[in-house]
Amino acid sequence: MKKVFCIGELLIDFVAENQGKDLSKAKEFSKKAGGAPANVSCAISKLGGESLFIGCVGDDPFGTFLLRILENEKVDISSAQKSDTFTTLAFVSIDADGERDFVFSRGADKELTYDSSLKSRFENNILHFGAATALLGGSLEETYNRYLFDGITKNAFISFDPNYRVDLWKNKEDVFIRKCHPYIEKSHLCKFSLEEAQLLSGKDNLDEACQVFHEMGTQIIVITLGSEGTLLSTAKFSKTIPSIKVNPKDTTGAGDAFIGCLLQQISQHSKFENVLADEKLLTNMVARANKAGAITTENFGAIESLPTLQQLDS
């Protein structure tokens, strides 16, 4: 079994449940653990995989709370760091359809520093670059870029999810696109939402978008389409794989559950080439990941809503 290293933010989500999408009208918030790479690491661990989280939290009660949750989920937090800067916060409102609105108060996540001792541990394992904040500057961005280089030199399987947030890149979309392209070029697997695929490819048509991404270098593309399922594309085939029907309450962790489940399955195989060459295997993997994402939307809070093996197998 390969280890999956998840790099990026771990933060507090203050969630306004069932109070509409307008954050300005929310009065009550629940404290939840969040941050896309942390969610992915928990998704992998819950399904029996080996995940390691690399990120930075504040040396404060929120940071302690967050690391304890990851530890309880059996995520390896030996490479997590603490900073004097306060733990990053996100305020999230969720409407009746499970759709959300975000406001970030950025803190310690940007302080992550490079750890040269990790390079040797990356060899023949999996690196997942799925942070929403990593390309915003600070020490985290420099560290993120160095770990990408390390992963390439150590023959790691590279996974990339841009996790685009409109509020974080308002009037700077061109910068976001420019910073994402090297990751698309070097990744074996890229996971996009519909909006991300169109933004980063410059194409409205998804077949054309996939062609752009394949020409850039990525070998497996998955574009999540909500209730419609997921578009899976390789150089040899392209198909949309349906998802299961659910009544969503909160879509916050669905994409993270999806990619976590997919990476957990890939981690069970010693050679990536065997996965890439097997259309039936890849199709079944994505179908299972669709189910994981759908189940996660049925409750509030990303990590506590992530499915177990028993739920996926039922």
Side-chain angles (χ1 to χ4, degrees), residues 10-13 31-35 39 65-66 69 302-304:
L10 171 60
L11 51 82
I12 297 287
D13 278 330
K31 181 181 70 173
K32 310 279 187 182
N39 295 341
F65 164 78
L66 291 169
I69 284 183
I303 290 175
E304 59 230 66

Side-chain angles (χ1 to χ4, degrees), residues 59-75:
D59 189 6
D60 55 37
F62 287 146
T64 300
F65 164 78
L66 291 169
L67 291 177
R68 187 183 299 133
I69 284 183
L70 263 60
E71 200 167 29
N72 289 343
E73 295 293 345
K74 297 182 172 56
V75 174

Side-chain angles (χ1 to χ4, degrees), residues 38-243:
N39 295 341
V40 174
S41 69
C42 290
I44 292 164
S45 182
K46 268 194 170 183
L47 296 175
E50 289 188 48
S51 62
L52 188 146
F53 174 75
I54 304 171
C56 187
V57 296
D59 189 6
D60 55 37
F62 287 146
T64 300
F65 164 78
L66 291 169
L67 291 177
R68 187 183 299 133
I69 284 183
L70 263 60
E71 200 167 29
N72 289 343
E73 295 293 345
K74 297 182 172 56
V75 174
D76 185 338
I77 59 169
S78 60
S79 295
Q81 300 173 9
K82 284 190 173 184
S83 165
D84 290 337
T85 306
F86 65 90
T87 297
T88 298
L89 310 175
F91 295 85
V92 188
S93 59
I94 302 168
D95 67 16
D97 296 322
E99 292 305 313
R100 56 214 161 120
D101 188 22
F102 279 93
V103 172
F104 274 95
S105 179
R106 198 176 186 204
D109 78 276
K110 68 178 180 289
E111 306 292 342
L112 181 70
T113 57
Y114 177 73
D115 180 355
S116 60
S117 70
L118 285 169
K119 183 175 181 178
S120 61
R121 299 177 67 186
F122 292 161
E123 189 159 9
N124 295 318
N125 282 307
I126 297 174
L127 269 66
H128 177 59
F129 296 87
T133 64
L135 303 180
L136 291 168
S139 178
L140 171 59
E141 182 171 357
E142 179 186 347
T143 299
Y144 212 61
N145 291 334
R146 292 182 72 176
Y147 285 148
L148 174 64
F149 180 78
D150 286 350
I152 294 166
T153 59
K154 287 297 183 180
N155 197 38
F157 178 92
I158 308 296
S159 167
F160 177 59
D161 180 351
N163 262 303
Y164 176 64
R165 300 284 185 265
V166 174
D167 289 343
L168 297 181
W169 293 99
K170 197 170 291 183
N171 302 319
K172 296 182 292 184
E173 291 85 358
D174 57 332
V175 177
F176 177 76
I177 293 167
R178 175 172 54 79
K179 289 185 175 185
C180 284
H181 278 182
Y183 287 85
I184 299 170
E185 291 167 2
K186 301 300 183 184
S187 293
H188 300 89
L189 166 67
C190 285
K191 178 245 173 216
F192 304 109
S193 67
L194 173 61
E195 179 183 26
E196 290 163 348
Q198 292 172 332
L199 175 68
L200 292 169
S201 67
K203 304 290 185 181
D204 290 333
N205 180 279
L206 291 186
D207 290 332
E208 293 177 4
C210 288
Q211 183 177 346
V212 169
F213 295 138
H214 286 311
E215 288 174 355
M216 290 174 70
T218 193
Q219 296 174 63
I220 299 175
I221 300 162
V222 284
I223 302 175
T224 54
L225 304 170
S227 61
E228 295 179 23
T230 298
L231 174 62
L232 167 63
S233 177
T234 73
K236 294 184 177 180
F237 71 91
S238 177
K239 61 173 71 171
T240 298
I241 300 165
S243 187

